[in-house]
Amino acid sequence: MKIKTILLIFVFATFFSNNSSAQSNEIKARLIICSGLSDKNIPLDNLNEINIKEGDKVYFYTKWFNLSKRSYIASIDFLDADDNYLVQSSEHKFKPRKRTHNTWNSRKFREIIIPEGIVKIRIILDGQTILERRISVKYIHE
């Protein structure tokens, strides 16, 4: 009976420790939407909404976490409030040297392609959606 109890405790401990470590190794991302990058490719700000002139650029800086030392392919999708595709970025291939890595992409905003309103930004890694964020887009007309 004592051996069965010890074996049962061992099985539960193994299961729960493997389960929690799998969650901590899940790839995560943080998106910073900014008006520009410094000379060292650091975001200059962190926008809560996009207020932009026609044809100006916005930068999408992604901080990746829990990566392995292998090649990845990242891309960004832009969708409207009804999940209709507006535009996709080209794919970007990278191979991190550490468990964290930074990527960035810029997009010229044209109202005919990305209209005013709520836009969903979808961050994709190796074909899997890692992060989605909604943000308001407003065009500045002078």
Side-chain angles (χ1 to χ4, degrees):
M1 182 71 168
K2 192 174 187 180
I3 293 174
K4 287 182 182 178
T5 305
I6 291 172
L7 183 59
L8 188 59
I9 290 170
F10 175 75
V11 169
F12 276 111
T14 303
F15 173 75
F16 286 114
S17 68
N18 285 343
N19 197 15
S20 63
S21 68
Q23 289 177 353
S24 66
N25 287 329
E26 182 181 345
I27 293 175
K28 303 274 185 191
R30 176 177 178 227
L31 174 63
I32 299 173
I33 300 170
C34 56
S35 61
L37 300 174
S38 72
D39 292 339
K40 295 185 179 186
N41 296 318
I42 304 297
L44 297 175
D45 47 23
N46 189 0
L47 303 174
N48 293 321
E49 63 180 16
I50 297 172
N51 294 304
I52 192 163
K53 292 179 184 176
E54 178 83 16
D56 282 355
K57 285 184 180 181
V58 173
Y59 292 80
F60 301 89
Y61 183 94
T62 307
K63 175 101 178 159
W64 299 98
F65 301 94
N66 299 326
L67 298 172
S68 300
K69 292 180 181 178
R70 65 171 188 84
S71 293
Y72 293 93
I73 297 175
S75 63
I76 301 175
D77 291 344
F78 296 82
L79 300 95
D80 66 15
D82 297 321
D83 283 344
N84 297 309
Y85 279 87
L86 299 172
V87 68
Q88 288 181 306
S89 72
S90 57
E91 293 181 335
H92 170 74
K93 187 174 183 178
F94 69 93
K95 185 174 183 179
R97 294 185 199 134
K98 300 183 285 184
R99 291 181 51 79
T100 61
H101 188 80
N102 303 320
T103 58
W104 54 91
N105 193 332
S106 66
R107 163 82 33 210
K108 279 188 180 179
F109 273 64
R110 303 211 185 281
E111 195 166 3
I112 193 149
I113 297 171
I114 302 175
E116 280 194 339
I118 301 298
V119 173
K120 183 190 289 184
I121 299 166
R122 183 177 289 160
I123 305 296
I124 299 166
L125 189 68
D126 291 342
Q128 299 294 316
T129 299
I130 302 296
L131 178 130
E132 288 185 342
R133 179 169 163 197
R134 293 180 184 272
I135 192 162
S136 174
V137 174
K138 295 178 185 170
Y139 287 89
I140 300 168
H141 302 282
E142 293 181 355

